[in-house]
Structures are given as structure tokens and as C-alpha cells.
Amino acid sequence: VAYLVSSRSLQTIDVSNPSAPKRLGGIQGESFAVAVALSGKFAYVAFSIEGLAVIDISNPVKPKCVGLC
């Protein structure tokens, strides 16, 4: 699974077949997502207005925001 920030969201992508990547899920923010870092089952997404969002990515089909810093 690959994780990327795109405009106002974090997207999860199945890259098991590199010639045909498939979107699995995602989560929207209120402002622009500018960076992402991963650690264990969490993605840390920097948004331009909300700040740092902590996203539980244990289920890549349904990522869930568990906190804002």
C-alpha cells in the first residue's frame, strides 16, 4: 500500500500490481495536505490550516482521523 497526499486529502493506493495501481480509500481535510509521514499503523498528515492530523491507517480502505495537534 502506498500513501500520498493530494490537494485536501490522504489517499491509500494498492500498488501490488505496479502497472495498474488502484485507489483503496482516503480521508479529506479542510485545507491543503502538504506532507505525510508514516509510523506503524499511523500516518501523520500536515495540513495548511488544521495543523498535524493523526490518521489510523490500520484499515487502508477506511483511514480514520484519531487526533489533531
Side-chain angles (χ1 to χ4, degrees), residues 1-34:
V1 176
Y3 301 89
L4 63 96
V5 289
S6 172
S7 325
R8 300 177 186 267
S9 66
L10 169 73
Q11 301 294 318
T12 57
I13 311 294
D14 178 352
V15 291
S16 59
N17 179 355
S19 63
K22 182 173 73 169
R23 181 184 178 277
L24 295 173
I27 190 166
Q28 288 287 119
E30 293 181 20
S31 62
F32 289 101
V34 295

Side-chain angles (χ1 to χ4, degrees), residues 37-60:
L38 305 174
S39 180
K41 68 175 194 167
F42 296 104
Y44 300 89
V45 180
F47 285 97
S48 61
I49 294 175
E50 297 100 294
L52 183 66
V54 181
I55 312 293
D56 181 340
I57 55 172
S58 57
N59 179 357

